[in-house]
Amino acid sequence: MIRTFPAALMILAVPAAAAAQGSLNFYNWSDYIADDTLSGFEAETGIDVNYDVFDSNEVVEARMLTGSTGYDLVVPSLEFMARQAQAGVFQPIDKSQIPNYDNLDPEILRIVSANDEGNTYGVPYMMYSVGPGYNVAMVEERLPDADMDSWSLVFDPDNAAALADCGIALLDSPSEITAAALNYLGLDPTSEDAGDLEQAMELLQGIRPHIRYFHSSQYINDLANGDICLAVGYSGDILQAKDRAAEAGQGVEIRYTIPAEGAQLGFDMMVIPADAPNPEAAHQFINYFLQPQVTAAISDAVFYANANKAATDLVSDEVRTDPGIYPPEETLAKMYSAKPHSARYDRSLTRAWTALKTGQ
Ligand code: N2P
């Protein structure tokens, strides 16, 4: 028995892998996966992965709404996903194909169901916040008395002016930067009021001369190398910069904390386009991803929190206990979520954002 058992397993395993058809066309955020995630999936299923990356919800949305992307699996943020789902561009997730679905945290599923009724179209990939990350030495040198735990570090024009020479970057994300500005002004970060938008844009126009660039992924390397000193970016991306800086050993120290005024908390969601060429492969990937050790390895590699309850114990202490990754209750209480924009507000926001970036 002992000798024949492995042989029997091999006979079973070969047809199973060979039966998996075709490839998976996967469109994900940049810097958002572990080194061995895709190779592990290919080895386990026999499905080849074509992997493309993006760094902007707006770019993904334009492509999704046009259709015929050829993608099987895409990862928009929840508030964008909600609008795209309404446009009918996704197919429902078939949970019967995902035995590992039960590993998901029911509380997080409940929260995201506010924008995806019945958790119909999306499966949470990772969670993130949007906030300022900075080079400790460069900022302390220029602003020894500044409150480092406040958005005023970047939104106060005097502070921004003092940091202009070492370099400030903002995400090229109208929704997220505007929400941060509204929140800093004490306004509702989800407001669609024209007067509120005007106030947010005034604040941003006030610091505009001190912004080196708007970009949603370049700041990782620039922060790590000391080429910029502050970026308003995504939590895990800033922490990847911190990690790269520490590894380089040149004494660059990067810090990310959620400011006292709070920050946006977001969820990126795996979805399957209605016209996906290989929806079975997409379901297989989601099921593979939801294995606790696979999710935990991704969180450890990219410094983002996940929604896989069964994975929590496997996430490294460094990641699990970092309040910038897994915010404690009192921080969570100050955080806000985005809501799907109306088409009308979106047009005003795009116009205002273009004017801001082009310096009008
Ligand atoms: C990964 C960014 C993911 C968080 N680079 C923004 N949705």
Side-chain angles (χ1 to χ4, degrees):
M1 269 310 273
I2 290 163
R3 282 169 52 119
T4 55
F5 188 54
L9 256 189
M10 274 187 64
I11 291 162
L12 281 175
V14 170
Q21 289 301 312
S23 51
L24 172 74
N25 298 332
F26 186 5
Y27 193 34
N28 194 5
W29 291 86
S30 49
D31 303 291
Y32 219 25
I33 201 155
D35 284 342
D36 59 357
T37 311
L38 301 178
S39 56
F41 174 72
E42 290 177 339
E44 198 167 298
T45 61
I47 298 171
D48 291 330
V49 183
N50 302 312
Y51 193 62
D52 287 345
V53 296
F54 59 84
D55 67 4
S56 151
N57 270 309
E58 284 77 7
V59 168
V60 174
E61 179 147 293
R63 296 191 67 178
M64 284 300 123
L65 297 180
T66 308
S68 309
T69 59
Y71 291 120
D72 301 301
L73 190 63
V74 186
V75 193
S77 301
L78 179 62
E79 66 276 15
F80 283 81
M81 178 211 140
R83 247 186 356 192
Q84 293 154 31
Q86 267 181 9
V89 300
F90 303 136
Q91 55 184 282
I93 302 287
D94 178 1
K95 291 164 194 154
S96 74
Q97 292 185 50
I98 309 173
N100 292 327
Y101 196 88
D102 289 345
N103 290 338
L104 286 162
D105 185 338
E107 177 56 16
I108 293 170
L109 287 177
R110 190 188 62 77
I111 294 169
V112 299
S113 72
N115 280 305
D116 178 23
E117 214 187 314
N119 302 111
T120 305
Y121 294 107
V123 177
Y125 181 80
M126 292 280 148
M127 305 186 274
Y128 60 92
S129 57
V130 178
Y134 55 89
N135 180 309
V136 178
M138 284 177 167
V139 171
E140 276 176 353
E141 184 191 333
R142 287 162 181 82
L143 294 170
D145 301 322
D147 179 355
M148 310 285 258
D149 283 322
S150 166
W151 278 101
S152 62
L153 202 52
V154 55
F155 284 150
D156 179 324
D158 292 336
N159 288 345
L163 299 178
D165 79 296
C166 58
I168 301 175
L170 298 185
L171 288 174
D172 188 5
S173 169
S175 60
E176 290 165 318
I177 297 297
T178 305
L182 287 167
N183 180 63
Y184 176 70
L185 292 169
L187 299 167
D188 173 2
T190 67
S191 170
E192 297 204 342
D193 179 81
D196 288 354
L197 177 59
E198 207 170 303
Q199 287 190 59
M201 285 302 149
E202 260 171 44
L203 177 75
L204 294 171
Q205 291 281 7
I207 63 167
R208 175 67 185 92
H210 314 306
I211 304 302
R212 189 171 295 173
Y213 64 76
F214 293 80
H215 196 281
S216 299
S217 51
Q218 188 189 327
Y219 62 92
I220 305 180
N221 276 331
D222 288 351
L223 262 185
N225 296 337
D227 292 334
I228 58 172
C229 58
L230 188 144
V232 177
Y234 298 122
S235 47
D237 289 13
I238 292 166
L239 292 164
Q240 288 177 51
K242 172 182 166 156
D243 189 57
R244 286 183 207 176
E247 263 170 28
Q250 303 294 315
V252 173
E253 189 198 337
I254 307 297
R255 188 182 293 159
Y256 179 76
T257 47
I258 292 160
E261 299 92 345
Q264 180 171 335
L265 176 71
F267 300 88
D268 289 320
M269 307 291 293
M270 291 180 281
V271 297
I272 307 176
D275 58 3
N278 197 349
E280 293 78 19
H283 284 94
Q284 285 199 54
F285 182 85
I286 295 171
N287 194 51
Y288 165 81
F289 167 83
L290 288 175
Q291 294 176 90
Q293 72 279 12
V294 174
T295 313
I298 298 175
S299 281
D300 279 349
V302 299
F303 302 97
Y304 285 97
N306 64 70
N308 188 334
K309 212 172 180 183
T312 312
D313 285 346
L314 301 177
V315 174
S316 69
D317 284 349
E318 182 200 355
V319 168
R320 200 161 26 86
T321 62
D322 187 327
I325 306 178
Y326 283 88
E329 285 296 329
E330 65 270 22
T331 309
L332 277 176
K334 295 180 305 196
M335 299 181 81
Y336 56 87
S337 300
K339 289 199 184 115
H341 292 162
S342 67
R344 184 194 164 99
Y345 178 70
D346 220 39
R347 279 193 296 276
S348 317
L349 181 61
T350 306
R351 233 188 341 263
W353 189 254
T354 306
L356 176 73
K357 284 204 298 179
T358 56
Q360 281 160 17

